[in-house]
Structures are given as structure tokens and as C-alpha cells.
């Protein structure tokens, strides 16, 4: 498999084999340090929308492999606000970078940047559409803790309507014959088009507002934040923000080897009392961003195969 | 009312000598077909008819353009709004060729994305939609990946 010069834009672009290959490469990256692999390579981070967590993870991945980083963390302090099109920005940046990481609030922006640029582009999040490196690190985390991605009982809880993370995760896992438990209040259910798409692939789906009615079945419980900024009406947000609060009392109602994941940052969905239980996987999940991003950067730069 | 009726009747029988007649357009889609083909700016004689009686469709529309043979690419663009249309190429008052419209897998620059935060609504680029299902029509934006059904589909222009 050769990813040289490929763009990483959307989880829809990846076959099952692609995904497994990337995860295998991430594992290699985690095992072996390689401090001069990307010597002489430059990564530009174009963060039109601030996201410190994602940006720092990309920078750490690049620097740990000996590469250099340029770019901006916030488009308000660059010339870009002055009406330059995204197309032109991507064309300009390809002159001095070997690789572009872009985060932008407009959906489809990363795809457009990739079409403009002859250098590989990695999507660091385009609005509420895609965030493929998050999805891949989620898969990596699951595979690492369960030794497989196949046939797992996966619960996804919280805001399933607006949560981009959970949409991409569900689509990505659909390659691996999961059984899904979508747990959310009625108003925040998984959009019907995703349900249809998954069912057409023959995947079993249970939808319920009640976590405890399914908790005993789960191998993985993926918890998401109910994001205030996605609600047009602040009153709606108030109504739902505290609906699902997990704490250590949950441990009585789950399998011994249930693992709980969360893309972080959390607000109050997961109480600290769960942090020291064997179920907590979310801090390890965050740390897995580095080997996965190292793998993606090195693959698209053609430095490993 | 009676006036428009008589105009329709006239148009439905008016033959053209050379050009293209698009038949079997859904009754509400004639103006959309004309818009997709950019006929408003066409210097040739253009007739747009709606609500004609039809045996197969109940009501239908017809669009006629004189002195112009539409290309296959142009013809296929109208499949978005008129999937069952037939295109008749006319030579000397006779039908020289009949083309069935054919929905392409990729629709370029015909549909506007319904997602207000899609990059195509903010930067001047062509829209691209991938057809996921034909009946009923379901398309996915190549950029923002939003899935749109027939009811969400708005045309450019
Ligand atoms: Zn779009």
C-alpha cells in the first residue's frame, strides 16, 4: 500500500484495508522512536479556527520525527482575513511546505485545499463534517485495548445528532461488523441517513435513551460531550447538558472489561470517580493521537511504507 | 385562465424546423430545465410549456429550442429535474434522433448545496455532487458530504 502524496480528508475515502494499514503503521511508530525520519520536511498548520489540542498533537508528532513546523494558530492574526480565498492560501503555502494540515469552520474546506495544493493535505477538522485523524486514533485505541476491531458491542452515548466524531466513528467501525447501541435523548438521536446507511450494510443497531438497559452488553462505551455551540437555542442546551453523567456507580452494571472512551475535553459527562477504574480509556485515547498522526504524516510524505 | 390555456395549446402543436424538443418533463420542471440549459440568455427562439395533458404523466412540460442541437452533456444535466425526459433532435420538421436523458454519477455545477456552511457557498467554485440513489434521487456533496434528497435540491442560478 502506498499513501505517498495522498490526502487525508474523510473517513469515507478509506477502505478497510487502508484503515488497518494505517493502524499497523501507528503501532510501529509507537514502538520505535525515529527522531530524524522527517528531517528536512516542513509541515504547515493552517488553523483558521483555533483548536489547541489538535494543533499541538500534530506539532508534537512532526517534531518528534525531526520535522519542522510553520503556519498559524488563528486566522485573525494573518493576512488571510483580508479576503484571500482558501484556494489561493493553499496555493501559496504549497510553495514552502511539504505537507499541509488544515482546520477550518467551513465544511468541505479541506477537500478544496487538497484540490488546490499539489502537496498532501490532512484535514484537522472541517466544521461539523470530518476529523479523520480523530476517527483513526479512536480506532487505534479500540484495537489496542481489545486486540481486535471485529464484532464488538459498541455503545455510543450523548449528542449523536450533532456530534461529528460519532458519525465518523460509526461509519469507520461499520467495516468491522459491530453491534451498535446508540444511547441518546430523543432530540439528539443519530440522524436517519446514518442509520439507513449502516443498516444497508447489514449492521445491527439498537437505539435507546436508557444507558442501563444496554450497559451490560457493551465492550466499548464512547461518550461525547453535548456541545453548547451546536444548539441554536440555549434553553435546549440547558435541558440536555446534564442528562448523561457517568460516575463510579456505573461499574456495577457493566462488563469487567468494558472500556470507556471520550474525545475530550469533557465537561461533566464523566465524573472523576471513574478515572482510576480499569474502565477509563480516555486519557490513553488522547495520547494515541501522537503515534497515529506520526503514521499519517510519514505515510503521506512517503517516508515509510 | 382561458388565455393561458389557448397559448399552451398553440405551443403544444407548434412545430419547429430545426432544433431540439425536450418532451416528458414533469409539469413543474419546465422552467428548471430552461434554467439548467441557461435558455434565458439564448438568442434562439425558445418555447417553454407547462401543464400540458399527457397520457403517461397526467400533466407534463415541453421545452423547445430552435436552431440548436443540445449536446449529450447538456441533455444529461437536466436528468436531475426531469429523469424521464426524451430529447428529440429535429431536422426539417422531422425527428432525426431521440435521446433518453441519462443521470450521470457525478453532477457538476447544476445543484446548489443546501448546507449554509459548505465551502461551495463561500468560495466561487463549481459544485460537485455524487449520485447515491436514483429513485428517489439522493445526492452527496463532494465537499461537505451532506446528503440531499429530492426535496432539498435547489438549482444554481
Ligand atoms: Zn456541500
Amino acid at each position: 500500500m502506498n499513501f505517498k502524496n495522498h490526502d487525508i480528508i474523510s473517513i469515507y475515502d478509506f477502505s478497510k484495508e487502508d484503515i488497518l494499514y494505517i493502524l499497523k503503521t501507528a503501532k510501529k511508530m509507537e514502538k520505535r522512536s525515529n527522531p530524524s525520519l522527517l528531517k528536512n520536511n516542513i509541515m504547515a498548520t493552517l488553523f483558521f479556527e483555533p483548536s489547541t489540542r489538535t494543533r499541538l498533537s500534530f506539532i508534537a508528532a512532526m517534531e518528534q520525527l525531526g520535522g519542522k513546523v510553520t503556519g498559524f494558530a488563528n486566522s485573525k492574526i494573518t493576512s488571510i482575513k483580508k479576503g484571500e480565498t482558501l484556494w489561493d492560501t493553499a496555493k501559496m503555502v504549497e510553495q514552502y511546505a511539504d505537507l499541509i494540515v488544515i482546520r477550518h469552520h467551513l465544511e468541505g474546506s479541506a477537500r478544496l485545499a487538497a484540490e488546490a495544493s499539489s502537496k498532501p493535505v490532512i484535514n484537522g477538522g472541517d466544521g461539523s463534517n470530518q476529523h479523520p485523524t480523530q476517527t483513526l486514533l479512536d480506532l487505534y485505541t479500540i484495537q489496542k485495548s481489545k486486540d481486535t476491531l471485529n464484532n464488538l458491542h459498541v455503545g455510543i452515548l450523548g449528542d449523536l445528532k450533532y456530534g461529528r466524531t460519532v458519525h465518523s466513528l460509526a461509519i469507520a467501525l461499520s467495516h468491522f461488523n459491530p453491534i451498535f447501541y446508540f444511547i441518546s435523548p430523543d432530540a439528539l438521536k443519530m440522524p436517519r441517513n446514518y442509520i439507513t446507511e449502516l443498516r444497508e450494510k447489514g449492521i445491527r443497531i439498537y437505539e435507546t435513551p436508557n444507558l442501563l438497559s444496554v450497559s451490560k452488553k457493551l465492550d466499548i462505551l464512547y461518550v461525547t460531550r453535548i456541545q453548547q455551540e451546536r444548539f441554536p437555542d440555549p434553553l435546549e442546551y440547558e435541558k440536555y447538558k446534564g442528562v448523561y453523567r457517568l460516575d463510579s456507580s456505573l461499574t456495577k452494571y457493566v462488563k469487567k472489561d468494558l472500556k470507556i472512551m471520550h474525545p475530550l475535553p469533557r465537561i461533566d459527562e464523566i465524573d472523576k470517580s471513574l478515572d482510576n477504574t480499569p474502565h477509563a480509556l480516555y486519557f490513553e485515547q488522547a495520547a494515541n493521537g501522537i503515534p497515529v498522526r506520526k503514521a499519517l504524516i510519514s505515510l503521506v510524505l512517503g517516508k515509510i511504507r | 385562465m382561458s388565455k393561458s390555456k389557448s397559448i399552451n395549446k398553440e405551443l403544444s402543436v407548434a412545430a419547429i424546423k430545426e432544433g431540439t424538443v425536450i418532451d416528458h418533463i414533469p409539469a413543474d420542471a419546465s422552467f428548471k430545465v430552461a434554467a439548467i440549459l441557461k435558455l434565458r440568455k439564448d438568442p434562439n427562439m425558445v418555447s417553454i410549456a407547462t401543464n400540458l395533458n399527457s397520457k403517461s404523466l397526467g400533466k407534463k412540460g415541453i421545452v423547445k429550442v430552435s436552431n440548436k442541437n443540445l449536446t449529450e452533456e447538456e441533455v444529461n444535466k437536466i436528468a436531475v429535474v426531469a429523469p424521464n425526459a426524451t430529447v428529440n433532435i429535429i431536422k426539417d420538421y422531422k425527428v432525426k434522433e431521440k435521446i433518453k436523458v441519462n443521470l450521470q454519477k457525478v453532477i457538476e455545477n447544476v445543484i446548489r448545496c443546501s448546507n449554509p456552511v459548505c465551502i461551495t457557498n463561500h468560495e466561487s467554485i463549481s459544485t460537485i455532487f455524487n449520485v447515491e440513489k436514483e429513485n428517489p434521487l439522493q445526492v452527496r456533496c463532494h465537499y461537505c458530504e451532506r446528503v440531499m434528497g429530492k426535496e432539498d435540491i435547489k438549482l444554481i442560478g
Side-chain angles (χ1 to χ4, degrees):
Chain A
M1 217 161 284
N2 190 352
F3 282 93
K4 188 176 179 182
N5 269 325
H6 280 220
D7 305 303
I8 310 292
I9 305 299
S10 161
I11 204 67
Y12 281 106
D13 299 339
F14 296 95
S15 69
K16 180 177 178 175
E17 290 67 35
D18 291 337
I19 290 170
L20 289 171
Y21 190 80
I22 292 165
L23 301 187
K24 204 171 96 188
T25 310
K27 199 170 193 175
K28 274 192 224 162
M29 285 297 183
E30 191 172 357
K31 277 208 182 115
R32 214 181 318 125
S33 74
N34 218 331
S36 55
L37 184 69
L38 303 183
K39 195 174 60 172
N40 306 323
N41 285 120
I42 299 174
M43 174 179 85
T45 58
L46 312 185
F47 275 53
F48 293 85
E49 173 188 68
S51 171
T52 310
R53 183 180 302 268
T54 303
R55 197 170 144 269
L56 291 182
S57 177
F58 270 109
I59 291 174
M62 188 68 184
E63 289 181 344
Q64 285 175 25
L65 296 172
K68 291 192 187 66
V69 181
T70 180
F72 52 85
N74 186 338
S75 65
K76 287 193 183 71
I77 53 167
T78 71
S79 68
I80 277 120
K81 271 276 139 138
K82 295 175 196 136
E84 184 176 69
T85 61
L86 176 58
W87 181 275
D88 287 356
T89 306
K91 279 266 171 232
M92 182 259 295
V93 171
E94 74 169 16
Q95 317 275 328
Y96 61 79
D98 304 305
L99 162 75
I100 298 172
V101 178
I102 178 175
R103 186 180 180 102
H104 198 294
H105 75 284
L106 291 175
E107 297 169 17
S109 50
R111 181 82 65 193
L112 180 68
E115 286 168 359
S117 162
S118 61
K119 304 285 172 61
V121 170
I122 299 181
N123 185 1
D126 61 329
S128 45
N129 183 36
Q130 290 273 340
H131 191 3
T133 60
Q134 174 75 49
T135 309
L136 289 162
L137 81 85
D138 289 343
L139 294 179
Y140 183 68
T141 304
I142 296 172
Q143 191 191 46
K144 209 169 130 184
S145 85
K146 294 288 173 192
D147 278 326
T148 180
L149 287 170
N150 295 317
N151 311 320
L152 294 170
H153 292 255
V154 179
I156 305 185
L157 175 143
D159 172 5
L160 308 188
K161 184 174 180 187
Y162 299 99
R164 123 186 111 185
T165 314
V166 300
H167 302 158
S168 300
L169 179 65
I171 295 298
L173 275 174
S174 72
H175 293 294
F176 303 95
N177 190 39
I179 296 144
F180 280 133
Y181 303 82
F182 293 149
I183 307 148
S184 73
D186 255 6
L188 297 176
K189 274 166 86 169
M190 185 66 90
R192 293 304 94 182
N193 61 305
Y194 288 105
I195 298 282
T196 311
E197 191 174 337
L198 294 167
R199 289 217 163 110
E200 278 170 2
K201 291 182 168 179
I203 286 162
R204 267 191 286 164
I205 298 170
Y206 300 93
E207 294 184 274
T208 173
N210 183 359
L211 169 61
L212 294 185
S213 72
V214 297
S215 54
K216 269 236 154 38
K217 303 217 180 281
L218 305 178
D219 301 310
I220 294 283
L221 175 59
Y222 198 103
V223 182
T224 61
R225 187 155 60 101
I226 293 185
Q227 293 190 62
Q228 183 164 17
E229 61 267 29
R230 302 283 180 225
F231 283 86
D233 179 357
L235 286 177
E236 278 285 290
Y237 172 72
E238 285 303 317
K239 206 164 112 196
Y240 289 117
K241 75 170 185 191
V243 171
Y244 297 107
R245 283 204 62 202
L246 313 188
D247 58 35
S248 57
S249 69
L250 179 70
T251 56
K252 285 181 284 197
Y253 307 100
V254 299
K255 285 202 247 181
K256 262 207 185 86
D257 59 353
L258 166 79
K259 296 292 178 191
I260 299 174
M261 297 173 66
H262 189 297
L264 302 181
R266 62 180 161 182
I267 305 175
D268 56 4
E269 310 83 38
I270 300 179
D271 190 76
K272 284 198 176 62
S273 62
L274 274 168
D275 290 0
N276 293 321
T277 69
H279 302 294
L281 194 59
Y282 30 92
F283 295 119
E284 198 185 322
Q285 178 187 0
N288 286 336
I290 304 257
V292 169
R293 290 184 174 108
K294 277 182 179 172
L296 288 168
I297 293 169
S298 309
L299 284 167
V300 300
L301 287 174
K303 297 295 176 178
I304 45 167
R305 293 206 42 187
Chain B
M1 200 59 175
S2 64
K3 198 179 168 198
S4 75
K5 230 178 187 172
S6 74
I7 287 173
N8 276 347
K9 206 169 177 191
E10 236 171 69
L11 279 174
S12 66
V13 293
I16 59 173
K17 186 163 183 256
E18 310 278 329
T20 306
V21 174
I22 307 168
D23 199 357
H24 301 110
I25 301 169
D28 62 346
S30 296
F31 289 102
K32 293 177 187 163
V33 167
I36 291 172
L37 298 174
K38 300 193 166 58
L39 295 180
R40 195 140 67 113
K41 288 178 185 147
D42 201 287
N44 295 301
M45 190 174 87
V46 175
S47 331
I48 300 171
T50 67
N51 292 324
L52 305 176
N53 290 319
S54 152
K55 275 188 203 120
S56 57
L57 296 173
K59 294 280 180 193
K60 69 168 182 180
I62 291 185
V63 170
K64 301 181 183 186
V65 194
S66 294
N67 302 319
K68 186 175 181 175
N69 293 349
L70 293 175
T71 65
E72 199 170 330
E73 197 194 336
E74 288 174 301
V75 166
N76 288 336
K77 279 189 174 184
I78 70 171
V80 176
V81 295
N84 300 311
T86 30
V87 178
N88 303 284
I89 307 295
I90 309 290
K91 272 259 151 65
D92 209 12
Y93 297 105
K94 289 202 180 72
V95 176
K96 197 191 120 208
E97 198 186 340
K98 251 188 199 303
I99 314 171
K100 241 355 224 146
V101 303
N102 203 344
L103 188 64
Q104 300 299 289
K105 290 256 173 305
V106 180
I107 301 170
E108 242 187 283
N109 227 15
V110 174
I111 301 170
R112 185 207 313 264
C113 186
S114 67
N115 177 2
V117 290
C118 176
I119 187 80
T120 60
N121 288 316
H122 295 265
E123 193 139 326
S124 62
I125 48 170
S126 291
T127 67
I128 301 172
F129 284 86
N130 299 302
V131 174
E132 299 210 317
K133 286 177 194 154
E134 291 200 9
N135 206 357
L137 185 61
Q138 182 180 304
V139 298
R140 185 189 290 269
C141 177
H142 164 72
Y143 289 98
C144 74
E145 304 186 345
R146 177 172 286 201
V147 173
M148 289 163 50
K150 200 173 181 325
E151 63 288 350
D152 311 312
I153 290 178
K154 295 249 160 27
L155 301 174
I156 287 171

